[in-house]
C-alpha cells in the first residue's frame, strides 16, 4: 500500500542504545525516506579531532571550533539505507563505533561552538526532505518544525543489555558492567550539559520501548507518520 507520505521531517530522539537507529532505519525503508543518525556526525568529528592531535578538553575550545569550521562533511546514501559519512573526502563510517571515539564523543559534543557547526550540517541535510533524523536534540533544537517527533525511552539496564548483546554479535568482547557504566556516564553528560541537553520536545510523543519489539515500535511511528 502506498503510504500517504505527509511529514517531510521525522525526529527520533532518545538516550544511548534505546534503539533509535534500528527503528529509524526500518521506518525509513517502509516510508522510502532517508535515515540519518546524527550521532555519526559527532563521532566523525571526534575521529577528526583524534587525528588532528587537538586536545578535546576545554583549553583548546577555540582550536576545536576552528577545526569544526574547516572540516568538510558529506553524506552519501548507502545500499543499506543509511548515509555514509565522508570527512574531507574520506569515508569514515566504518570507524565510528571504535572505543576511542566512544570514550570522547560526549565530551566533544558538549562544546557549544562545535554543536553550532554540527547543527547547521544537520539542517542542510534535512533540506533534502523526506528525512528521518535520530539524535538527542532533533525535536528541540535541530528541527523544531519537524511534523512528527518521537522520543524513545527504556531503562538504563535494558539499554545496557541491548548494547551488550549488539557488541557480542559484532564479535567485540565487553562485559555488561562496563557497558552499563559507560552508558550511565554518557547519559549523564548528555542530560546535564548546558547546551541542547537530551530531553523530549514539548510536542514529542514519548514511547517507552521496554516491552515492545522493534517491529511494534516501528509500527507505532509508521501509523503516526501516515496520519499526521
Ligand atoms: O547516538 P550516539 O551514541 O552515536 O551519539 C554519540 C554521542 O554524540 C552522544 O553520546 C552525544 O553526546 C552526542 N550526540 C549529541 N547530539 C545528537 C546526537 C549525538 O550530542 N543529536
Amino acid at each position: 500500500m502506498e503510504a500517504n507520505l505527509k511529514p517531510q521531517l521525522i525526529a527520533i530522539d532518545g538516550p544511548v542504545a534505546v534503539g533509535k537507529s534500528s527503528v529509524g532505519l526500518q521506518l525509513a525503508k517502509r516510508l522510502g525516506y532517508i535515515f540519518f543518525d546524527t550521532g555519526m556526525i559527532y563521532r566523525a568529528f571526534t575521529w577528526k579531532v583524534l587525528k588532528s592531535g587537538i586536545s578535546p578538553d576545554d583549553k583548546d575550545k577555540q582550536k576545536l571550533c576552528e577545526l569544526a569550521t574547516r572540516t568538510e562533511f558529506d553524506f552519501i546514501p548507502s545500499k543499506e539505507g543509511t548515509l555514509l559519512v565522508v570527512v574531507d573526502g574520506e569515508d569514515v563510517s566504518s570507524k565510528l563505533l571504535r572505543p576511542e571515539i566512544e570514550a570522547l564523543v560526549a565530551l566533544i559534543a558538549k562544546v557549544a561552538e562545535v554543536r553550532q557547526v554540527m547543527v547547521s550540517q544537520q539542517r542542510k541535510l534535512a533540506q533534502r526532505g523526506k528525512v528521518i533524523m535520530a539524535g538527542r536534540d532533533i525535536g528541540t533544537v535541530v528541527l523544531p518544525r519537524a511534523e512528527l517527533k518521537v522520543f524513545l525511552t527504556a531503562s538504563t539496564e535494558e539499554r545496557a543489555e541491548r548494547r551488550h548483546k549488539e557488541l557480542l554479535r559484532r564479535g567485540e568482547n565487553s562485559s555488561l558492567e562496563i557497558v552499563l557504566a559507560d552508558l550511565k556516564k554518557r547519559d549523564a553528560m548528555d542530560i546535564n550539559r548546558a547546551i541542547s541537553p537530551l530531553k523530549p520536545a514539548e510536542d514529542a510523543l514519548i514511547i517507552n520501548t521496554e516491552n515492545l519489539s522493534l517491529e511494534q515500535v516501528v509500527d507505532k511511528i509508521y501509523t503516526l507518520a501516515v496520519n499526521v
Side-chain angles (χ1 to χ4, degrees):
M1 188 186 76
E2 173 95 5
N4 177 20
L5 305 179
K6 278 188 193 151
Q8 287 293 305
L9 302 172
I10 300 177
I12 304 181
D13 285 302
V16 183
V18 75
K20 301 182 294 290
S21 289
S22 312
V23 167
L25 204 53
Q26 288 221 3
L27 186 67
K29 280 188 184 148
R30 272 177 81 175
L31 290 170
Y33 279 27
I34 300 171
F35 171 66
F36 187 59
D37 178 358
T38 59
M40 291 301 128
I41 193 170
Y42 290 95
R43 287 170 182 266
F45 182 61
T46 303
W47 173 84
K48 177 84 188 188
V49 172
L50 283 170
K51 202 173 158 219
S52 71
I54 294 175
S55 151
D57 66 28
D58 279 356
K59 284 191 294 250
D60 270 347
K61 240 187 202 166
Q62 187 55 32
K63 284 191 192 156
L64 273 186
C65 175
E66 280 163 19
L67 185 70
T69 315
R70 63 168 194 268
T71 301
E72 211 170 289
F73 294 94
D74 208 354
F75 308 98
I76 300 171
S78 74
K79 284 197 296 287
E80 289 75 34
T82 53
L83 289 180
L84 300 175
V85 184
V86 178
V87 177
D88 297 330
E90 182 175 348
D91 175 9
V92 296
S93 318
S94 64
K95 302 175 178 165
L96 301 182
L97 297 175
R98 290 181 180 167
E100 62 271 27
I101 291 183
E102 192 97 8
L104 274 188
V105 62
L107 194 66
I108 291 175
K110 267 190 354 182
V111 181
E113 295 84 348
V114 168
R115 295 198 74 80
Q116 259 173 25
V117 177
M118 302 301 135
V119 166
S120 83
Q121 290 286 343
Q122 292 162 48
R123 289 187 179 144
K124 212 155 74 188
L125 208 153
Q127 284 170 4
R128 297 184 192 185
K130 296 188 177 174
V131 172
I132 299 171
M133 213 173 254
R136 306 289 190 286
D137 58 343
I138 309 304
T140 50
V141 175
V142 181
L143 305 175
R145 290 180 192 204
E147 299 99 318
L148 177 58
K149 299 178 186 176
V150 294
F151 191 92
L152 304 182
T153 64
S155 71
T156 320
E157 288 70 22
E158 166 81 20
R159 289 185 286 121
E161 266 177 41
R162 290 180 191 170
R163 173 56 54 98
H164 185 231
K165 277 190 196 145
E166 186 191 323
L167 289 172
L168 292 180
R169 234 188 349 257
R170 274 200 251 133
E172 287 178 38
N173 220 348
S174 179
S175 75
L176 181 59
E177 290 69 32
I178 292 176
V179 172
L180 182 64
D182 171 65
L183 199 136
K184 281 184 178 164
K185 211 163 93 189
R186 279 215 282 147
D187 270 359
M189 271 198 246
D190 290 343
I191 292 165
N192 299 317
R193 69 179 171 222
I195 174 163
S196 307
L198 167 69
K199 66 169 183 195
E202 272 174 23
D203 50 351
L205 182 95
I206 296 176
I207 301 178
N208 181 353
T209 65
E210 192 112 6
N211 295 310
L212 298 176
S213 67
L214 175 61
E215 288 68 30
Q216 285 172 317
V217 179
V218 174
D219 276 349
K220 255 183 194 278
I221 308 176
Y222 179 84
T223 307
L224 291 166
V226 296
N227 291 298
V228 167

